[in-house]
Amino acid sequence: MQFDTKIAVVIRTDLEAWQKLNVAAFLTSGIAAAFPECIGEPYADGSGTPYLALIGQPILIYGADRPQLSRALERALARNVKPAVYTEDMFRTTHDAANREAVRAVIRADLNLVGLAMRAERKVIDKILDGLKFHS
C-alpha cells in the first residue's frame, strides 16, 4: 500500500541505545498527537483480548549527525513542516514541562538536537531528508 504521506524520524547516530529508543518513542508520540488521523483501529488477538491502536503507516528511521539534524530542521521549517524535536538537554529533565523549558531556553541555531520527527507529503519529506540514510 502506498501512502500519500511519509512519517520520518531522524536520530543522532552517536547516542546510547537506550537514548535512541527513548527519543524515537517521544518523537512518534508527537506525530500521533499532531496527526490523529494517522492512528489506525484498535487491535485484538484471536482470544478477543483488546489492545491499543497504533500509527497505521510505516515510520522510517534515519540516522544523522548534529549538523545533518540542524540542516533537516531548517529544511523542514522552510517547507512549512512542523517537526517534533528532542534535544540533548531533555535527557536531564524529569517531566514534560521541564522538557519544554529546556527547549525554550535555547535559540534554534543553538539547539543540541538528538532527534526530529515529521509527517508530510512523501516528496516533501524526501527533499527535507535528502542525503540521509536509514539508521543502522
Side-chain angles (χ1 to χ4, degrees):
M1 175 177 201
Q2 180 80 11
F3 291 92
D4 294 336
T5 60
K6 184 183 276 190
I7 298 173
V9 176
V10 185
I11 299 177
R12 210 168 74 197
T13 54
D14 65 342
L15 300 177
E16 297 291 327
W18 74 266
Q19 291 173 314
K20 291 177 185 180
L21 295 169
N22 184 268
V23 170
F26 273 103
L27 290 173
T28 55
S29 72
I31 297 298
F35 302 98
E37 68 274 14
C38 76
I39 304 297
E41 296 296 320
Y43 286 74
D45 62 26
S47 301
T49 307
Y51 301 101
L52 297 175
L54 303 174
I55 291 176
Q57 73 181 91
I59 300 171
L60 303 172
I61 311 290
Y62 295 83
D65 59 22
R66 188 173 172 184
Q68 289 170 321
L69 276 163
S70 294
R71 178 178 177 246
L73 174 61
E74 293 306 320
R75 287 175 153 212
L77 296 173
R79 289 167 174 80
N80 295 315
V81 173
K82 184 191 287 186
V85 299
Y86 201 102
T87 68
E88 194 166 299
D89 294 335
M90 293 166 69
F91 288 129
R92 293 183 284 283
T93 64
T94 58
H95 56 87
D96 188 47
N99 285 343
R100 284 192 304 281
E101 279 302 314
V103 173
R104 187 178 296 120
V106 181
I107 64 169
R108 186 171 74 224
D110 293 338
L111 288 173
N112 190 358
L113 295 171
V114 296
L116 298 171
M118 58 198 85
R119 179 179 184 255
E121 292 180 18
R122 297 177 65 78
K123 290 181 181 181
V124 173
I125 294 292
D126 290 343
K127 288 180 181 178
I128 293 168
L129 302 182
D130 182 48
L132 294 183
K133 306 290 185 214
F134 289 127
H135 202 297
S136 57

